[in-house]
């Protein structure tokens, strides 16, 4: 009896151990049978990348069972992180802005392009449309009805007066560290505007957006860099000033043309498809649009919501979109997490 009891206890303990190990293995192993390692996303300080990063993190965590992290840095730093393997995935590489560095790391094989997030975007020199057309509802007359091109800005420095240097106009750029900021600053010089305008770099994307919002609220002129999709372009009527049609020759000569067609892609470090093949496939299938992105950002702005609130809203309201990125099992897991 005593011996039988010991054997029974040993059998029970052994069975429980096997069950525990099996459960552990099923939870922590990927489709290649490897242990699931944390997925590190690169992040930026503009709203669209923050949204897409948070959305991808939510699905990877709740649908695929991986822990995730996000580290914020400039695009060159993040791309270098991808190359070195310190960052696993980046949801918004604006390939036209970072073409030299991006092409180099793709050609090296140390970074792989998984798919296109969206490609229906625009960027460049914007002004409030009321500057050109006026706004009858607000009693604003057209201030510069002949302003159509970036070259035309040479006629209007006093209209866009720099408050810190009234002898010149001010063109707002992006924050330091953005590829687009460097490009825009050189464009100002290439177009011969640097003798009439100062190029101002705000401290953050939020400060840049705030400068536009303030101009609209006061009905005052503003000119500077912006891009689509954003909540700003969704809420306010902005006009993109014309530049010479894109050509590689002009672009290579001081960026003297409109921005090139710009695919915004999802990229990953070379080891991700092997370490987390199901996640790499999800990121390959991840495809949105400027319109979808702007809708999510507008939801945040109009409802004073946080990024994670917008993620939940998107998962609930855009089920027909994100369910095409995942299989039925992952879809079910994500939906269960929303309950």
């Amino acid at each position: 009896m005593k011996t039988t009891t010991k054997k029974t206890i040993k059998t029970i303990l052994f069975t429980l151990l096997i069950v525990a190990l099996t459960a552990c293995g099923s939870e922590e192993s990927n489709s290649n049978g490897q242990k699931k390692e944390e997925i590190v996303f690169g992040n930026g300080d503009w709203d669209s990348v923050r949204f897409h990063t948070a959305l991808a993190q939510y699905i990877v965590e709740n649908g695929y069972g991986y822990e995730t992290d996000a580290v914020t840095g400039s695009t060159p730093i993040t791309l270098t992180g991808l190359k070195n393997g310190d960052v696993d995935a980046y949801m918004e590489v604006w390939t036209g802005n970072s073409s030299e560095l991006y092409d180099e790391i793709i050609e090296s094989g140390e970074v792989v392009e998984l798919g296109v997030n969206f490609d229906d975007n625009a960027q460049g020199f914007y002004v409030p449309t009321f500057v050109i057309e006026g706004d009858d509802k607000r009693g604003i007359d057209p201030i510069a009805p002949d302003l159509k091109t970036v070259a035309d800005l040479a006629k209007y420095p006093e209209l866009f007066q720099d408050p810190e240097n009234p002898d010149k106009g001010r063109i707002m750029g992006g924050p330091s560290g953005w590829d687009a900021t460097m490009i825009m600053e050189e464009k100002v010089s290439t177009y011969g505007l640097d003798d009439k305008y100062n190029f101002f770099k705000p401290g953050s994307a939020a400060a840049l957006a705030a400068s536009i919002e303030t101009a609209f609220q006061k009905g005052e002129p503003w000119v500077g860099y912006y891009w689509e999709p954003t909540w700003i372009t969704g809420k306010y009527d902005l006009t993109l000033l014309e530049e010479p049609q894109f050509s590689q020759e002009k672009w290579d000569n001081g960026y003297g043309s409109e921005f090139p067609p710009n695919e915004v892609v999802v990229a990953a470090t070379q080891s991700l498809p092997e370490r987390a093949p199901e996640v790499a496939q999800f990121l390959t299938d991840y495809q949105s649009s400027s319109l979808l992105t702007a809708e999510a950002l507008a939801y945040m702005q109009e409802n004073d919501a946080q990024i994670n609130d917008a993620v939940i809203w998107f998962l609930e309201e855009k089920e027909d979109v994100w369910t095409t990125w995942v299989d039925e099992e992952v879809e079910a897991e994500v939906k269960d997490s929303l309950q």
Side-chain angles (χ1 to χ4, degrees):
M1 185 76 173
K2 188 175 182 181
T3 304
T4 303
T5 301
K6 285 183 178 179
K7 286 182 178 179
T8 303
I9 292 173
K10 287 181 179 179
T11 301
I12 292 171
L13 290 174
F14 181 74
T15 303
L16 290 173
L17 178 60
I18 293 298
V19 170
L21 289 173
T22 302
C24 228
S26 65
E27 290 176 359
E28 297 182 359
S29 298
N30 64 21
S31 58
N32 282 347
Q34 299 170 319
K35 181 180 178 181
K36 291 183 176 179
E37 299 178 2
E38 182 182 62
I39 305 295
V40 179
F41 286 86
N43 211 355
D45 66 346
W46 64 96
D47 289 338
S48 59
V49 70
R50 291 172 57 227
F51 168 73
H52 285 296
T53 300
L55 178 57
Q57 283 186 269
Y58 188 98
I59 293 174
V60 169
E61 289 180 359
N62 293 283
Y64 294 94
Y66 285 79
E67 292 185 1
T68 73
D69 193 11
V71 293
T72 300
S74 67
T75 296
I77 289 174
T78 302
L79 289 177
T80 301
L82 281 174
K83 178 181 178 181
N84 296 337
D86 299 321
V87 173
D88 293 310
Y90 196 23
M91 298 304 297
E92 268 194 38
V93 183
W94 289 64
T95 55
N97 293 5
S98 310
S99 57
E100 186 173 341
L101 175 57
Y102 184 68
D103 290 346
E104 176 186 323
I105 61 177
I106 289 292
E107 289 172 6
S108 73
E110 294 166 308
V111 173
V112 293
E113 183 176 303
L114 296 180
V116 177
N117 188 335
F118 56 87
D119 58 8
D120 54 337
N121 53 81
Q123 58 184 319
F125 294 81
Y126 284 85
V127 298
T129 300
F130 65 71
V131 169
I132 301 170
E133 300 178 5
D135 186 341
D136 291 339
K137 292 181 179 179
R138 300 179 63 188
I140 300 175
D141 294 326
I143 310 170
D146 297 325
L147 177 58
K148 296 181 180 179
T149 71
V150 174
D152 291 337
L153 287 171
K155 299 182 288 187
Y156 297 104
E158 71 286 347
L159 185 62
F160 302 101
Q161 190 177 69
D162 186 340
E164 297 178 6
N165 184 357
D167 293 334
K168 283 190 170 186
R170 170 180 285 188
I171 294 174
M172 292 289 289
S176 298
W178 285 13
D179 288 323
T181 301
M182 178 272 294
I183 291 170
M184 288 291 289
E185 186 167 22
E186 191 160 343
K187 277 177 174 287
V188 170
S189 176
T190 297
Y191 292 136
L193 297 173
D194 50 343
D195 61 339
K196 296 186 177 182
Y197 286 86
N198 294 317
F199 186 76
F200 183 84
K201 303 173 188 177
S204 65
L208 176 59
S211 71
I212 298 174
E213 192 165 31
T214 298
F216 270 89
Q217 290 172 348
K218 295 182 176 181
E220 295 178 346
W222 181 97
V223 62
Y225 173 72
Y226 222 64
W227 71 97
E228 301 175 49
T230 64
W231 70 264
I232 284 285
T233 56
K235 182 176 180 179
Y236 296 113
D237 188 2
L238 290 161
T239 293
L240 177 63
L241 297 178
E242 298 174 10
E243 297 181 63
Q245 185 176 7
F246 174 77
S247 76
Q248 195 63 53
E249 182 180 356
K250 290 178 180 177
W251 186 257
D252 292 340
N253 186 22
Y255 305 106
S257 75
E258 64 185 358
F259 277 82
N262 209 335
E263 284 191 333
V264 179
V265 306
V266 180
T269 192
Q270 62 172 343
S271 64
L272 184 66
E274 181 180 351
R275 290 191 292 109
E278 61 271 62
V279 173
Q281 185 60 55
F282 156 61
L283 296 177
T284 298
D285 295 333
Y286 190 112
Q287 185 172 10
S288 68
S289 67
S290 288
L291 178 60
L292 284 168
T293 305
E295 282 186 66
L297 301 183
Y299 171 83
M300 287 177 57
Q301 179 65 20
E302 293 166 3
N303 295 277
D304 195 23
Q306 300 299 311
I307 289 286
N308 289 338
D309 298 324
V311 166
I312 299 301
W313 171 85
F314 188 92
L315 292 170
E316 292 177 341
E317 298 296 325
K318 304 297 181 181
E319 185 177 308
D320 60 321
V321 176
W322 69 265
T323 54
T324 65
W325 307 336
V326 301
D327 61 29
E328 292 181 357
E329 183 178 347
V330 173
E331 176 185 336
E333 292 287 347
V334 173
K335 287 181 177 178
D336 285 346
S337 73
L338 296 172
Q339 303 303 316

